[in-house]
Amino acid sequence: MRKIKGKVFFLLMLLFVSVSLVAAPLRVAIEGNYPPFSYVDDSGQVVGFDIDITHALCAAMNVECEMILVEWSEILEGLVAGDYQLIIASMGKTPEREKLADFSDYYYRAHSVFVGDPKQHSKKHYDDLKQLRIATGKDTLQSQYLLANYPEENVYLLNSHDEAMDALIKGDVDLVLSNSISQLHFLQSPEGENFDFISEPLVNDLLVDYAHIAIRKGHPELLLAVNEGLKKIRFNGQYDQINRKYIPFSIY
Amino acid sequence: MPSKRPIIRPKLSVTVLVVSLVFVVMFLVSVGFSLGLLRGITAKTQETSQELLPELVHTQNNLLKIEQIRSYIDLIYWVQNGNLERNYRLESQVLIHSFLFENDPFLASEASNILHDIREIASIRQLQRTLQREAIQALNEFTDPNVIKVRGLLSALPQREIREGQLPSTFGQLTALSSFAEIEQRILFISDLNRQLDWMLIDTKARLERVSTYLNSDAALKAQTLATDIGTDIERITQYSVFFMSVVVLLFLFLFFVFKNTLLRPIQSLVAGLKAIEQQGNKTIMLKPLFFKELDTIRESIEDYSGLVFRMQKANQELENLSRIDGLTGLANRRYLDEILHEEMNRAMRHQHALALLMIDIDHFKGLNDQYGHQVGDHCLKVIAQIIKGYTQRTGELAARFGGEEFTLILPEIAHPDVWRIAESIREECSQTAIYLENDFSISIQMTVSIGFVHQVVDVTDDAEALLKKADQALYQAKASGRNCVREG
């Protein structure tokens, strides 16, 4: 009964969303500095898991989407300001962020892990890592964790995942803490061949990384449509296709 | 009976209203209660399926991951390329990491062990590669074509196939080389490591097997739990439904029973009571007190009605008696005499038996009245009336006051001598009765009566008037013969 009601409601909402949004395309913010979820390829195109998901989701929701590339550190401000209605950029849900935006059901899961030079740091325990310089992206779950648990002077907060990786390659930092999938992507790239996972993955509630789609507050119909759209692409196999394209195992 | 009256006597209308209300409330409450329970059970069932089904799916996903890890281990074992091996190792590592977040200590610790094994396999392979490279480098110093051949063979051999005793025979020629011990040591080391790797592969796969068995039985257990839980819930729903229906049925039965006892039966008894009034005879109808006020009011009315009917019947009786009796003497009056005489003549005619009619007159009654006054006269009349009444023993015999000081006695079915005897006996008794005045016992009055009678078998030509006249004529003869005597007409 509730399901039917939900479906009817969803269809009505879809109609509403279609009417109100098809006319003006749905504006979606993407980030572009978070391989393999979102990155600029050799031809200068922004590609990645998040981008493909955005395409599939928009098709499932039957809306036209316009993607806008936004810096990570400004991405929530733009949503609040109304520059776009959605953020599809591997965003984790935190109480602070929930004050600024609504969040969809999660669309992938990952965890955080350190990457560094295995020759120097391979067998080290967490406590030994505290003396090392650690980089991560600014305003990320990992940055919150590091600031809470590691000496502040050793924590380097950089503008993006790519910047953090560059710092590691140059030797400006000893370790980078980031999402395991992005780290894997880095390690499998030519730049990453001398690096490896360091220590065990961090088992911490803050770092069990569920990625959600952020939705502008006050649009429950859009939230519902996004969740239904996610279900649709998961059930019709599109999600798995996109998953396999970037990661060799399921990350849902 | 009145002591048994219940103190409370509710109104039927109020009771019906209250009972209906109570019934409706009880019904609503039980419906609400059952609905609540059913909804609770449904919610619980939904909850179980919503909780357990995703867990089942999750377990299934984990099983898939285990299969994937198994293939990664094979790839790492068989692939000879260091880069590919590293890629597979990294991927498997991320995959296994995801198990560390499982809320399952066994799974987490097994995942950690598997990860350790994979790293160990990869590092052994790396060590083998290094050893192989060093051995080839050592052979590089020699230009002997046989040695070059062996070197080529060695660099072409995958590490996993470098095993002691299985090497190509050409390796035997190397014993002559100066650095043979060094090379042999490396090759033997690789061979040892291969044996170690084989053991590790078996161990790791056994571990994977354990994990996948664990997950499978876990999934089976969860599915069974789900089925059992839902089954239990359905059973509970059935039980509640049966309970609810029984309550409704019992309630209806109870109401029917109460209705029968407090309404149907009382109404029947009231109707029966009403009918009984017709045959109530000389007592009023008394009915059991009833529970409901309205019905009890009806009962009271019926009892009142019964009382009324009783009183009316009594009054009728009295009226009837009054119309037949002479007020002064208590004997039948002239009207009743005519009635009875008529009846007795008819009866005598039908049965062809004789009927006697006596006319009795007090002698010199006028003088008595004049001398002592009417009151004494009346007293005398009463005394004589009592004497005459004493001769009416059998049915049909009637003493009546004919008028003034004249009395009549009807004696049906009587023989002629008996009439004489009775007439003489009356005359005798009257003449021997002394009447005293109320205020003066010294004076006693002696009275005599004259009697004339007829005795005959009545036939259709006779009528009462003629009979009376005949008796009257006989009385006249008695008077004429000097009074205080009996004459037959």
Side-chain angles (χ1 to χ4, degrees):
Chain A
M1 191 60 191
R2 218 170 46 194
K3 269 185 185 169
I4 295 168
K5 263 189 197 165
K7 268 177 194 163
V8 170
F9 184 62
F10 167 65
L11 285 174
L12 283 174
M13 283 307 129
L14 206 64
L15 198 70
F16 174 75
V17 169
S18 318
V19 167
S20 59
L21 300 176
V22 163
L26 187 64
R27 291 163 68 83
V28 182
I30 52 169
E31 193 241 358
N33 268 314
Y34 202 51
F37 298 103
S38 181
Y39 59 100
V40 182
D41 72 358
D42 299 336
S43 61
Q45 287 273 334
V46 183
V47 294
F49 179 84
D50 282 348
I51 314 305
D52 287 6
I53 288 289
T54 307
H55 284 303
L57 184 65
C58 289
M61 285 165 69
N62 206 16
V63 289
E64 204 181 309
C65 288
E66 188 187 328
M67 282 187 239
I68 303 144
L69 199 62
V70 187
E71 288 268 319
W72 174 254
S73 51
E74 291 156 16
I75 208 159
L76 266 169
E77 286 168 37
L79 185 76
V80 173
D83 297 344
Y84 32 81
Q85 286 91 40
L86 298 180
I87 300 172
I88 302 183
S90 305
M91 190 177 270
K93 187 159 76 175
T94 65
E96 295 81 46
R97 286 175 186 167
E98 278 192 291
K99 284 175 197 157
L100 302 174
D102 290 332
F103 285 88
S104 71
D105 299 337
Y106 80 92
Y107 69 101
Y108 76 81
R109 278 191 306 174
H111 51 271
S112 296
V113 68
F114 288 111
V115 159
D117 186 348
K119 292 185 194 75
Q120 295 175 42
H121 313 299
S122 68
K123 296 284 178 188
K124 278 179 179 163
H125 193 256
Y126 301 131
D127 293 340
D128 304 323
L129 300 180
K130 289 197 171 165
Q131 285 111 48
L132 300 178
R133 297 163 298 164
I134 306 171
T136 194
K138 211 194 294 184
D139 299 327
T140 57
L141 299 182
Q142 291 83 2
S143 71
Q144 283 181 25
Y145 172 77
L146 287 180
L147 289 174
N149 295 288
Y150 287 77
E152 211 176 310
E153 64 272 16
N154 288 346
V155 178
Y156 292 76
L157 299 181
L158 303 175
N159 280 328
S160 69
H161 174 78
D162 287 348
E163 260 184 52
M165 289 310 173
D166 285 344
L168 181 68
I169 294 163
K170 281 186 207 147
D172 293 343
V173 293
D174 299 312
L175 298 173
V176 170
L177 179 65
S178 188
N179 168 326
S180 55
I181 309 295
S182 299
Q183 299 284 49
L184 178 66
H185 185 82
F186 169 75
L187 292 175
Q188 290 184 334
S189 69
E191 301 86 51
E193 64 181 354
N194 293 320
F195 298 97
D196 207 331
F197 295 121
I198 301 295
S199 183
E200 294 299 309
L202 295 166
V203 180
N204 181 297
D205 284 344
L206 200 60
L207 291 173
V208 181
D209 199 349
Y210 285 85
H212 300 262
I213 295 171
I215 295 136
R216 193 151 188 252
K217 269 209 175 289
H219 293 280
E221 75 291 344
L222 188 57
L223 174 64
L224 200 69
V226 166
N227 281 336
E228 289 295 329
L230 281 176
K231 257 184 222 165
K232 197 169 163 188
I233 61 168
R234 265 187 35 76
F235 291 140
N236 70 14
Q238 269 182 297
Y239 179 93
D240 282 343
Q241 260 180 330
I242 297 165
N243 187 153
R244 296 274 161 194
K245 186 171 159 191
Y246 295 97
I247 302 109
F249 42 81
S250 168
I251 57 169
Y252 185 76
Chain B
M1 201 69 97
S3 62
K4 266 179 125 186
R5 262 167 199 242
I7 300 146
I8 34 161
R9 181 129 306 157
K11 279 193 172 180
L12 181 61
S13 51
V14 175
T15 311
V16 166
L17 194 73
V18 168
V19 166
S20 310
L21 277 178
V22 166
F23 192 71
V24 165
V25 166
M26 268 178 78
F27 190 75
L28 286 181
V29 164
S30 53
V31 163
F33 184 67
S34 326
L35 274 186
L37 276 176
L38 287 183
R39 208 168 290 155
I41 291 168
T42 318
K44 217 190 128 262
T45 310
Q46 254 172 7
E47 202 182 278
T48 20
S49 54
Q50 270 168 9
E51 251 173 42
L52 283 176
L53 282 180
E55 270 184 59
L56 272 172
V57 172
H58 184 68
T59 309
Q60 224 54 45
N61 279 343
N62 279 345
L63 276 165
L64 255 166
K65 280 190 196 168
I66 294 292
E67 283 314 303
Q68 226 165 350
I69 291 167
R70 194 200 303 278
S71 55
Y72 274 125
I73 290 169
D74 280 333
L75 283 168
I76 292 162
Y77 179 84
W78 292 103
V79 85
Q80 297 297 311
N81 180 309
N83 277 333
L84 278 178
E85 192 186 284
R86 177 171 174 274
N87 277 349
Y88 292 144
R89 198 252 305 158
L90 289 170
E91 284 172 14
S92 67
Q93 209 163 335
V94 175
L95 193 55
I96 293 167
H97 280 166
S98 65
F99 278 110
L100 300 182
F101 294 92
E102 291 289 329
N103 225 349
D104 186 333
F106 174 76
L107 215 52
S109 79
E110 285 297 304
S112 169
N113 289 334
I114 291 166
L115 181 57
H116 182 262
D117 288 351
I118 288 176
R119 277 179 172 160
E120 207 56 34
I121 291 170
S123 70
I124 287 172
R125 274 279 181 253
Q126 199 144 14
L127 180 57
Q128 282 182 325
R129 267 195 294 276
T130 315
L131 288 167
Q132 194 180 17
R133 208 163 45 238
E134 282 170 4
I136 291 164
Q137 264 165 13
L139 288 174
N140 270 344
E141 294 164 21
F142 302 94
T143 50
D144 186 316
N146 278 333
V147 175
I148 291 170
K149 197 179 160 197
V150 169
R151 197 188 68 200
L153 220 81
L154 183 61
S155 49
L157 264 183
Q159 290 100 36
R160 63 171 184 276
E161 280 173 24
I162 301 173
R163 285 168 196 270
E164 197 184 356
Q166 290 173 22
L167 291 168
S169 54
T170 41
F171 276 68
Q173 297 165 5
L174 298 177
T175 43
L177 296 176
S178 56
S179 55
F180 172 69
E182 199 188 332
I183 294 163
E184 193 192 29
Q185 197 188 8
R186 291 204 162 84
I187 288 173
L188 286 179
F189 195 11
I190 294 174
S191 168
D192 280 351
L193 287 174
N194 265 330
R195 233 173 321 180
Q196 203 184 324
L197 271 181
D198 289 347
W199 283 116
M200 282 188 72
L201 193 67
I202 290 165
D203 272 2
T204 311
K205 286 205 166 167
R207 202 186 287 285
L208 277 170
E209 205 54 53
R210 273 203 298 281
V211 173
S212 99
T213 309
Y214 170 75
L215 285 174
N216 262 325
S217 50
D218 195 37
L221 187 71
K222 275 172 185 159
Q224 204 194 345
T225 314
L226 181 69
T228 314
D229 278 7
I230 290 175
T232 315
D233 287 346
I234 287 170
E235 208 166 295
R236 277 175 63 200
I237 289 177
T238 317
Q239 280 170 358
Y240 280 127
S241 313
V242 168
F243 173 73
F244 172 65
M245 281 191 283
S246 325
V247 165
V248 169
V249 167
L250 281 178
L251 217 57
F252 268 113
L253 281 178
F254 175 72
L255 276 184
F256 178 74
F257 179 75
V258 168
F259 173 77
K260 201 180 140 202
N261 275 297
T262 57
L263 288 179
L264 226 54
R265 273 209 199 135
I267 287 172
Q268 282 169 346
S269 76
L270 286 177
V271 170
L274 205 53
K275 278 185 180 160
I277 288 175
E278 271 180 47
Q279 290 106 32
Q280 69 180 356
N282 56 359
K283 62 179 195 294
T284 58
I285 298 288
M286 294 296 282
L287 294 170
K288 260 193 216 166
L290 298 176
F291 185 66
F292 286 117
K293 195 166 183 165
E294 286 90 335
L295 292 180
D296 204 54
T297 310
I298 294 175
R299 177 191 65 86
E300 278 170 10
S301 303
I302 289 174
E303 285 185 1
D304 288 351
Y305 178 58
S306 164
L308 181 69
V309 167
F310 179 71
R311 281 195 303 280
M312 274 169 64
Q313 280 174 343
K314 221 170 144 187
N316 272 349
Q317 193 74 49
E318 274 164 19
L319 277 174
E320 204 177 345
N321 286 346
L322 280 176
S323 68
R324 288 171 173 179
I325 285 169
D326 173 61
L328 180 68
T329 58
L331 297 184
N333 61 16
R334 176 68 197 273
R335 203 168 59 82
Y336 192 47
L337 169 74
D338 289 344
E339 198 178 305
I340 293 297
L341 183 60
H342 192 74
E343 270 179 29
E344 284 306 321
M345 280 178 75
N346 281 344
R347 210 151 67 86
M349 217 177 329
R350 207 178 304 129
H351 300 291
Q352 287 292 304
H353 59 233
L355 177 77
L357 183 67
L358 283 77
M359 291 291 259
I360 303 152
D361 192 84
I362 301 173
D363 297 333
H364 307 296
F365 185 71
K366 204 172 174 305
L368 196 84
N369 248 352
D370 294 344
Q371 193 180 342
Y372 299 104
H374 283 289
Q375 272 187 322
V376 175
D378 286 352
H379 183 63
C380 290
L381 283 174
K382 279 183 197 170
V383 171
I384 297 301
Q386 273 319 112
I387 290 167
I388 296 170
K389 196 168 185 179
Y391 289 87
T392 55
Q393 307 278 326
R394 300 182 299 147
T395 46
E397 294 178 342
L398 180 79
R401 189 178 174 200
F402 191 75
E405 70 274 20
E406 206 170 342
F407 298 92
T408 311
L409 184 63
I410 300 172
L411 299 169
E413 256 180 290
I414 195 161
H416 189 257
D418 290 335
V419 185
W420 270 110
R421 192 176 45 79
I422 287 170
E424 280 298 333
S425 175
I426 292 170
R427 185 196 59 78
E428 185 81 19
E429 195 176 340
C430 288
S431 63
Q432 285 173 8
T433 302
I435 296 166
Y436 296 93
L437 298 181
E438 265 177 39
N439 45 3
D440 190 352
F441 288 100
S442 59
I443 304 166
S444 73
I445 300 163
Q446 290 292 320
M447 283 191 303
T448 56
V449 293
S450 303
I451 300 172
F453 76 88
V454 284
H455 175 263
Q456 65 179 70
V457 176
V458 188
D459 78 52
V460 279
T461 56
D462 293 316
D463 67 348
E465 281 302 315
L467 211 61
L468 279 168
K469 201 174 173 184
K470 229 174 167 180
D472 208 39
Q473 280 169 354
L475 177 62
Y476 182 75
Q477 279 177 22
K479 292 271 186 194
S481 307
R483 297 187 172 84
N484 195 19
C485 62
V486 179
R487 289 291 179 271
E488 186 185 357

Coordinates of all heavy atoms in Angstrom, one line a residue, chain A residues 111 180 184 187-188 192-193 195-197 200-202 208 244 248-249, chain B residues 58 68 72 86-87 89-91 93-95 97-98 100-101 115 119:
Chain A
H111 N 36.5 3.1 1.9 CA 37.1 3.3 3.2 C 38.3 4.1 3.0 O 38.8 4.3 1.8 CB 37.3 2.0 3.9 CG 38.1 1.1 3.1 ND1 37.5 0.1 2.3 CD2 39.4 0.9 3.0 CE1 38.4 -0.6 1.7 NE2 39.6 -0.2 2.1
S180 N 40.0 4.7 -0.5 CA 40.8 3.5 -1.0 C 40.7 3.4 -2.6 O 41.6 3.0 -3.2 CB 40.2 2.2 -0.4 OG 38.8 2.1 -0.6
L184 N 43.8 3.4 -4.9 CA 44.1 2.3 -5.8 C 44.3 2.8 -7.2 O 45.3 2.4 -7.9 CB 42.9 1.3 -5.8 CG 43.0 0.1 -6.8 CD1 44.1 -0.8 -6.3 CD2 41.7 -0.6 -6.8
L187 N 47.8 4.2 -7.2 CA 48.8 3.2 -7.2 C 49.0 2.5 -8.5 O 50.1 2.0 -8.8 CB 48.5 2.2 -6.0 CG 48.6 2.8 -4.6 CD1 48.2 1.8 -3.6 CD2 50.1 3.3 -4.3
Q188 N 47.9 2.3 -9.2 CA 47.9 1.6 -10.5 C 48.4 2.5 -11.6 O 48.5 2.0 -12.7 CB 46.6 0.9 -10.8 CG 46.3 -0.2 -9.8 CD 45.0 -0.9 -10.1 OE1 44.0 -0.3 -10.7 NE2 44.9 -2.2 -9.7
G192 N 52.3 6.3 -9.5 CA 52.1 5.6 -8.2 C 52.9 4.3 -8.0 O 52.7 3.7 -7.0
E193 N 53.7 4.0 -9.0 CA 54.3 2.6 -9.0 C 55.2 2.4 -7.8 O 55.5 1.2 -7.4 CB 54.9 2.3 -10.3 CG 56.1 3.1 -10.7 CD 56.7 2.7 -12.0 OE1 56.2 1.7 -12.6 OE2 57.6 3.4 -12.5
F195 N 54.8 3.5 -4.8 CA 54.1 3.6 -3.5 C 53.2 2.4 -3.3 O 52.9 1.6 -4.1 CB 53.2 4.9 -3.5 CG 54.1 6.2 -3.7 CD1 54.3 6.8 -4.9 CD2 54.7 6.7 -2.6 CE1 55.1 7.9 -5.1 CE2 55.5 7.8 -2.7 CZ 55.7 8.4 -4.0
D196 N 52.7 2.4 -2.1 CA 51.8 1.2 -1.7 C 50.9 1.6 -0.5 O 51.1 2.7 0.1 CB 52.7 0.0 -1.3 CG 51.9 -1.3 -1.6 OD1 50.7 -1.3 -1.5 OD2 52.6 -2.3 -1.8
F197 N 50.0 0.8 -0.3 CA 49.1 1.0 0.9 C 50.0 0.9 2.2 O 50.9 0.0 2.2 CB 48.0 0.0 1.0 CG 47.0 0.1 0.0 CD1 46.7 -1.0 -0.9 CD2 46.3 1.2 -0.2 CE1 45.8 -0.9 -1.9 CE2 45.3 1.3 -1.2 CZ 45.1 0.3 -2.1
E200 N 47.2 -0.9 8.1 CA 45.9 -1.4 7.8 C 44.9 -0.3 7.5 O 45.2 0.9 7.9 CB 45.4 -2.2 9.1 CG 46.2 -3.4 9.4 CD 46.2 -4.4 8.3 OE1 45.1 -4.8 7.8 OE2 47.3 -4.9 7.9
P201 N 43.8 -0.5 6.9 CA 42.9 0.5 6.7 C 42.3 1.0 8.1 O 42.3 0.2 9.0 CB 41.7 -0.1 5.9 CG 41.9 -1.5 6.1 CD 43.3 -1.8 6.4
L202 N 41.9 2.3 8.2 CA 41.5 2.8 9.4 C 40.0 2.5 9.6 O 39.1 2.8 8.9 CB 41.6 4.3 9.4 CG 43.1 4.8 9.3 CD1 43.2 6.2 9.0 CD2 43.8 4.5 10.6
V208 N 34.2 5.4 7.5 CA 33.5 4.5 6.6 C 32.7 5.4 5.7 O 31.8 6.2 6.1 CB 32.5 3.6 7.4 CG1 31.8 2.7 6.5 CG2 33.3 2.8 8.4
R244 N 32.0 -1.4 -13.1 CA 33.1 -2.2 -13.7 C 34.0 -1.4 -14.6 O 35.2 -1.8 -14.7 CB 32.4 -3.3 -14.6 CG 31.6 -4.3 -13.8 CD 32.5 -5.4 -13.3 NE 31.7 -6.0 -12.2 CZ 32.2 -6.9 -11.3 NH1 33.5 -7.2 -11.4 NH2 31.4 -7.4 -10.4
P248 N 37.4 -2.8 -10.5 CA 37.1 -4.2 -10.9 C 36.2 -4.9 -10.0 O 35.9 -6.1 -10.2 CB 38.5 -4.8 -10.9 CG 39.3 -3.9 -10.0 CD 38.7 -2.5 -10.1
F249 N 35.7 -4.3 -8.9 CA 34.8 -5.0 -8.0 C 33.7 -4.1 -7.6 O 33.8 -2.9 -7.8 CB 35.5 -5.6 -6.8 CG 36.5 -4.7 -6.2 CD1 36.1 -3.7 -5.4 CD2 37.9 -4.7 -6.5 CE1 37.0 -2.8 -4.8 CE2 38.8 -3.8 -6.0 CZ 38.3 -2.8 -5.2
Chain B
H58 N 23.4 -8.8 1.3 CA 24.7 -8.4 1.7 C 25.6 -9.7 1.8 O 26.8 -9.7 1.3 CB 24.6 -7.7 3.1 CG 25.9 -7.2 3.5 ND1 26.6 -6.1 2.9 CD2 26.7 -7.5 4.6 CE1 27.7 -5.9 3.5 NE2 27.8 -6.7 4.5
Q68 N 35.8 -13.5 -5.8 CA 36.7 -12.6 -6.5 C 38.1 -12.7 -5.9 O 39.1 -12.7 -6.7 CB 36.1 -11.2 -6.5 CG 36.1 -10.5 -7.8 CD 35.3 -9.2 -7.8 OE1 34.5 -9.0 -6.8 NE2 35.4 -8.4 -8.8
Y72 N 41.7 -13.6 -7.5 CA 42.8 -12.7 -7.4 C 44.0 -13.5 -6.9 O 45.2 -13.4 -7.4 CB 42.6 -11.6 -6.4 CG 41.9 -10.4 -7.1 CD1 40.8 -9.8 -6.6 CD2 42.6 -9.8 -8.2 CE1 40.2 -8.7 -7.2 CE2 42.0 -8.7 -8.8 CZ 40.8 -8.1 -8.3 OH 40.2 -7.1 -8.9
R86 N 51.3 -6.8 -9.0 CA 51.2 -5.7 -8.0 C 49.7 -5.1 -8.1 O 49.1 -4.9 -7.1 CB 52.2 -4.6 -8.3 CG 52.0 -3.4 -7.4 CD 53.2 -2.5 -7.6 NE 53.0 -1.2 -6.8 CZ 52.3 -0.2 -7.3 NH1 51.8 -0.2 -8.5 NH2 52.2 0.9 -6.6
N87 N 49.3 -5.0 -9.4 CA 47.9 -4.4 -9.6 C 46.9 -5.3 -9.0 O 46.0 -4.9 -8.3 CB 47.6 -4.3 -11.1 CG 48.2 -3.0 -11.6 OD1 48.6 -2.1 -10.9 ND2 48.2 -2.8 -12.9
R89 N 47.3 -7.5 -6.6 CA 47.5 -7.5 -5.2 C 46.8 -6.2 -4.6 O 46.1 -6.3 -3.6 CB 49.0 -7.5 -4.8 CG 49.3 -7.9 -3.4 CD 49.8 -6.8 -2.6 NE 50.9 -6.1 -3.2 CZ 51.3 -4.9 -2.9 NH1 50.5 -4.2 -2.0 NH2 52.3 -4.3 -3.4
L90 N 47.0 -5.1 -5.2 CA 46.4 -3.8 -4.7 C 44.9 -3.9 -4.8 O 44.2 -3.5 -3.8 CB 46.9 -2.6 -5.6 CG 48.4 -2.2 -5.4 CD1 48.8 -1.2 -6.4 CD2 48.6 -1.6 -4.0
E91 N 44.4 -4.4 -5.9 CA 42.9 -4.5 -6.0 C 42.3 -5.5 -5.0 O 41.4 -5.2 -4.3 CB 42.5 -5.0 -7.4 CG 42.7 -3.9 -8.4 CD 42.5 -4.4 -9.9 OE1 42.0 -5.6 -10.0 OE2 42.8 -3.7 -10.8
Q93 N 43.6 -6.2 -2.2 CA 43.8 -5.5 -0.9 C 42.6 -4.6 -0.6 O 42.0 -4.7 0.5 CB 45.1 -4.7 -0.9 CG 45.7 -4.6 0.4 CD 47.2 -4.2 0.3 OE1 47.8 -4.4 -0.7 NE2 47.6 -3.6 1.4
V94 N 42.2 -3.8 -1.6 CA 41.1 -2.9 -1.4 C 39.8 -3.7 -1.1 O 39.0 -3.4 -0.2 CB 40.9 -1.9 -2.6 CG1 39.6 -1.1 -2.4 CG2 42.1 -1.0 -2.7
L95 N 39.7 -4.8 -1.9 CA 38.5 -5.6 -1.8 C 38.4 -6.3 -0.4 O 37.4 -6.3 0.3 CB 38.5 -6.7 -2.8 CG 37.3 -7.5 -3.1 CD1 36.1 -6.6 -3.4 CD2 37.5 -8.5 -4.2
H97 N 40.0 -5.2 2.3 CA 39.8 -4.1 3.3 C 38.3 -4.0 3.6 O 38.0 -3.7 4.8 CB 40.3 -2.8 2.7 CG 41.8 -2.7 2.9 ND1 42.5 -1.7 2.2 CD2 42.7 -3.4 3.6 CE1 43.8 -1.9 2.5 NE2 43.9 -2.9 3.3
S98 N 37.5 -4.1 2.6 CA 36.0 -3.8 2.8 C 35.5 -4.8 3.9 O 34.5 -4.5 4.6 CB 35.2 -3.9 1.5 OG 35.3 -5.2 1.0
L100 N 37.0 -5.7 6.5 CA 37.4 -5.2 7.9 C 36.4 -4.4 8.5 O 36.3 -4.2 9.7 CB 38.8 -4.5 7.8 CG 39.9 -5.3 7.2 CD1 41.2 -4.4 7.3 CD2 40.2 -6.5 8.1
F101 N 35.5 -3.8 7.7 CA 34.4 -3.0 8.2 C 33.2 -3.8 8.6 O 32.2 -3.2 9.1 CB 34.1 -1.9 7.2 CG 35.2 -0.9 7.0 CD1 36.1 -1.1 6.0 CD2 35.4 0.2 7.9 CE1 37.2 -0.3 5.9 CE2 36.4 1.0 7.7 CZ 37.4 0.8 6.7
L115 N 44.5 -11.4 3.7 CA 45.3 -10.2 3.2 C 46.8 -10.5 3.5 O 47.6 -10.3 2.6 CB 44.8 -8.9 3.8 CG 45.5 -7.7 3.4 CD1 45.4 -7.5 1.9 CD2 44.9 -6.5 4.1
R119 N 49.7 -10.8 0.6 CA 50.9 -10.0 0.7 C 52.2 -10.9 0.7 O 53.1 -10.7 0.0 CB 50.9 -9.2 1.9 CG 50.1 -7.9 1.7 CD 50.2 -7.2 3.0 NE 49.7 -5.8 2.9 CZ 49.3 -5.2 4.0 NH1 49.4 -5.7 5.2 NH2 48.8 -4.0 3.9

